[in-house]
Amino acid sequence: MSEELLDQAMLFEVVENQLADNYPKQVTETLMRLRMTGHSREEAVELIACALAPEMIDVIEHQQSFNLERYAAHLAQLPQTPWLGEDA
């Protein structure tokens, strides 16, 4: 069900909206940090979307409130994504 509700384009659109609104501010800060460490803007947005995905799943599938604190913690860990179980 997650794949049906959370396609990549939708996640990228949410990230772009967060950047445009500068809310949460950690998204803009993370984009700048990733760009300064050699990631392209496209790569940085993809990484930020990886941090956003678990929050969106909780909101959509589990009717939970958006967890800004956890999202910010995931953003701070980028480019590592241990919550995905790939590079813990």
Side-chain angles (χ1 to χ4, degrees):
M1 186 162 167
S2 300
E3 293 176 22
E4 295 170 11
L5 295 174
L6 289 179
D7 68 10
Q8 203 173 44
M10 188 272 301
L11 287 171
F12 293 165
E13 182 178 347
V14 171
V15 171
E16 291 293 352
N17 288 338
Q18 290 177 338
L19 289 166
D21 294 342
N22 194 32
Y23 183 82
K25 66 180 171 51
Q26 294 93 334
V27 175
T28 303
E29 293 167 353
T30 300
L31 176 71
M32 293 179 356
R33 177 175 52 81
L34 291 170
R35 292 298 316 272
M36 289 173 39
T37 57
H39 294 275
S40 70
R41 187 180 193 288
E42 181 178 311
E43 291 170 336
V45 169
E46 287 177 10
L47 286 166
I48 293 167
C50 287
L52 176 63
E55 301 313 315
M56 296 299 291
I57 290 168
D58 280 349
V59 169
I60 294 169
E61 291 187 5
H62 306 293
Q63 291 78 44
Q64 295 181 359
S65 297
F66 189 86
N67 187 329
L68 181 57
E69 186 175 309
R70 183 173 58 191
Y71 182 37
H74 287 171
L75 290 170
Q77 294 177 52
L78 293 175
Q80 303 302 313
T81 55
W83 61 92
L84 297 177
E86 297 171 354
D87 53 21

